[in-house]
Amino acid sequence: MPEPILRVENLEARYGERRVLHDVSFQVFPGEIRVILGGSGSGKSTLIKHMLRLSEPSAGRISIRGQEITKLDEEALNRTRLGVGFLFQNGALLGSLSVAENVAMPLEMHTSLPPAVVRTLVQQRLSQVGLEAAGNYLPAELSGGMRKRAALARALILDPPLLVCDEPSAGLDPVTARQLDLLLLDLRRQLGTTLVVVTHEIASIRRIADRILFLERGGVSFDGTVADAAAADSAAVRAFFAPDAPLPNR
């Protein structure tokens, strides 16, 4: 069994006196696609922030590639974060920059590569996401699906072994969402990237997930495969994956 690329142990998160996450533990292994889901207010966004130590946990440990990030100083933490790509829900492309300039930003910020090498790497990534002819476009000139792919190229430009995607299919029609799912699967195959994906799209989950983590009331109510979810102990999990199941009591 390989070492996990991401390990979360007994994580607790609070905002003031309000406890948002409690005793959250799971592992993500190299090459895996792990989907995180749960209802509104279940703690998904809080978990993502703590996974990257954008917020400080109240208790517990988080390790990325063997580095316990809860113990790192700011300089070491920033180096570790360079190994994690992030695909924002809305893409977060800068509207005043071309697609190629957006994708090049991490290279220009974090490396001293010559401009010619940067241009080559950017073109390679754009080609991998099917945007080889769109480098000179502004984000406003792209469709929603193209903007997501451009943001994906930027998230992968530093070759991170771990990619975190926040609702990648949000706002996309079913055909475009399926194309994005297939692209994620293809990039996983080509690059060996490990993915953590937050999504509510059941079709996407069935297409891409190796394992799912279901959060309920700030804790883990299910950790397993999609095939096992329909028989989960949690009524909320069963209702999500088996629509005819009785709804949980509120």
Side-chain angles (χ1 to χ4, degrees), residues 128-190:
Q128 284 178 322
V129 301
L131 293 178
E132 57 271 17
N136 292 326
Y137 288 24
L138 292 173
E141 299 175 297
L142 304 180
S143 67
M146 292 172 74
R147 284 195 295 274
K148 288 288 180 74
R149 283 186 278 151
L152 180 59
R154 184 181 60 187
L156 292 171
I157 193 64
L158 292 176
D159 288 321
L162 177 62
L163 175 66
V164 179
C165 304
D166 184 14
E167 298 283 2
S169 301
L172 301 180
D173 64 83
V175 172
T176 305
R178 180 177 183 275
Q179 291 172 341
L180 184 61
D181 289 340
L182 296 178
L183 176 59
L184 291 175
L185 289 169
D186 191 49
L187 290 170
R188 191 261 298 264
R189 179 184 59 80
Q190 290 184 49

Side-chain angles (χ1 to χ4, degrees), residues 48-49 52 54 84-94 102 105-106 144-145 147-156 163-172 180 184 196-198:
I48 293 296
K49 290 176 182 177
L52 303 176
L54 299 174
V84 183
F86 194 90
L87 178 61
F88 295 89
Q89 181 174 338
N90 62 2
L93 298 173
L94 297 180
N102 269 281
M105 280 181 61
R147 284 195 295 274
K148 288 288 180 74
R149 283 186 278 151
L152 180 59
R154 184 181 60 187
L156 292 171
L163 175 66
V164 179
C165 304
D166 184 14
E167 298 283 2
S169 301
L172 301 180
L180 184 61
L184 291 175
V196 174
V197 181
V198 176

Side-chain angles (χ1 to χ4, degrees), residues 57-76:
S58 303
R61 299 190 298 177
I62 303 156
S63 299
I64 296 176
R65 302 173 70 193
Q67 290 281 337
E68 188 178 337
I69 65 171
T70 40
K71 292 184 176 180
L72 297 180
D73 60 28
E74 194 67 24
E75 182 179 351

Side-chain angles (χ1 to χ4, degrees), residues 89-153:
Q89 181 174 338
N90 62 2
L93 298 173
L94 297 180
S96 60
L97 300 181
S98 70
V99 167
E101 289 169 335
N102 269 281
V103 175
M105 280 181 61
L107 290 173
E108 293 171 343
M109 292 173 63
H110 301 294
T111 77
S112 56
L113 293 171
V117 176
V118 170
R119 288 193 296 270
T120 298
L121 293 174
V122 168
Q123 192 59 32
Q124 287 175 350
R125 278 290 180 262
L126 289 176
S127 180
Q128 284 178 322
V129 301
L131 293 178
E132 57 271 17
N136 292 326
Y137 288 24
L138 292 173
E141 299 175 297
L142 304 180
S143 67
M146 292 172 74
R147 284 195 295 274
K148 288 288 180 74
R149 283 186 278 151
L152 180 59

